[in-house]
């Protein structure tokens, strides 16, 4: 799992991936390694550097999941540069379903969030907090997400990610800490 800055929604994404893999494969059927954030000029570059580190330290990895699509794009580039074929040798997935995910060289498997609804909920929470700042209590809201399986996982990762879709139908977001 390729991390970005340690924000609550990224931690929730990691925990969701971990829970899904445990449910699909049990505790012995997989190994999930979290690669910490590497400070870089761009998020893409951070994903690239994290994937290089992961490939050096964990040869034989069969899949990488980026905390967002940009990190996943960087991971794909690092894999291709290392001579790996995506998805034949290694599967790669991300989160957020950026528009580029549909037309990047490797159509990226990703988790789509209902960003419009999340924005509405965040605005509603912000208005409530402004109206009654002394009594408002922040809360966590669950939203439905959708797994979009594309060609970046079609060989090795498709079965794993298809199982994840049934097991991880929602994720937590912090209403007032969205970026």
């Amino acid at each position: 799992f390729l991390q970005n800055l340690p924000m609550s929604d990224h931690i929730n994404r990691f925990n969701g991936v971990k829970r899904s893999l445990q449910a699909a494969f049990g505790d012995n059927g997989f190994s999930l390694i979290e690669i910490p954030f590497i400070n870089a000029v761009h998020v893409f570059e951070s994903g690239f550097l994290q994937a290089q580190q992961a490939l050096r330290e964990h040869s034989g990895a069969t899949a990488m999941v980026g905390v967002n699509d940009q990190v996943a794009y960087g991971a794909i580039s690092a894999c291709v540069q290392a001579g790996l074929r995506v998805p034949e040798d290694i599967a790669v997935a991300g989160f957020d379903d950026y528009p580029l995910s549909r037309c990047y060289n490797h159509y990226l498997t990703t988790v789509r969030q209902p960003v419009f609804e999340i924005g509405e909920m965040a605005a509603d929470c912000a208005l409530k907090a402004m109206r009654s700042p002394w009594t408002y209590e922040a809360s966590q809201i669950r939203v439905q997400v959708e797994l979009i399986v594309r060609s970046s996982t079609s060989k090795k990762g498709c079965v794993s990610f298809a199982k994840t879709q049934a097991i991880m139908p929602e994720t937590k977001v912090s209403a007032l800490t969205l970026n």
Side-chain angles (χ1 to χ4, degrees):
F1 188 83
L2 307 176
Q3 197 54 278
N4 199 338
L5 295 173
M7 296 184 286
S8 64
D9 60 329
H10 296 175
I11 293 165
N12 287 334
R13 290 175 184 192
F14 173 78
N15 291 333
V17 168
K18 184 176 180 180
R19 275 193 317 273
S20 297
L21 290 171
Q22 284 173 328
F25 300 106
D27 289 329
N28 300 321
F30 73 97
S31 135
L32 179 64
I33 295 112
E34 183 176 10
I35 305 297
F37 172 71
I38 296 176
N39 195 12
V41 176
H42 300 287
V43 177
F44 174 94
E45 183 183 5
S46 175
F48 181 86
L49 295 171
Q50 288 173 294
Q52 283 185 321
Q53 177 184 336
L55 293 170
R56 272 193 315 273
E57 296 175 4
H58 307 285
S59 64
T62 58
M64 291 188 189
V65 179
V67 72
N68 61 40
D69 288 351
Q70 291 175 308
V71 169
Y73 303 145
I76 289 173
S77 292
C79 290
V80 170
Q81 187 180 69
L84 297 172
R85 297 168 300 151
V86 177
E88 292 84 355
D89 300 323
I90 191 163
V92 180
F95 280 84
D96 297 328
D97 194 25
Y98 293 145
L100 188 58
S101 299
R102 295 184 220 49
C103 55
Y104 191 66
N105 288 342
H106 296 86
Y107 301 113
L108 186 64
T109 293
T110 188
V111 176
R112 180 183 295 155
Q113 301 180 76
V115 290
F116 184 79
E117 290 85 353
I118 290 171
E120 283 182 325
M121 288 185 276
D124 185 54
C125 289
L127 289 171
K128 287 177 183 174
M130 287 187 290
R131 286 186 192 123
S132 31
W134 307 113
T135 59
Y136 179 77
E137 288 187 34
S139 62
Q140 294 206 345
I141 300 169
R142 289 186 176 267
V143 295
Q144 285 293 122
V145 297
E146 180 183 4
L147 179 68
I148 308 299
V149 178
R150 297 192 180 107
S151 65
S152 68
T153 59
S154 68
K155 299 279 187 229
K156 283 203 176 250
C158 187
V159 173
S160 303
F161 289 111
K163 288 182 180 179
T164 302
Q165 182 177 19
I167 297 163
M168 190 179 75
E170 56 190 18
T171 187
K172 284 185 176 180
V173 283
S174 298
L176 297 177
T177 58
L178 297 172
N179 349 358

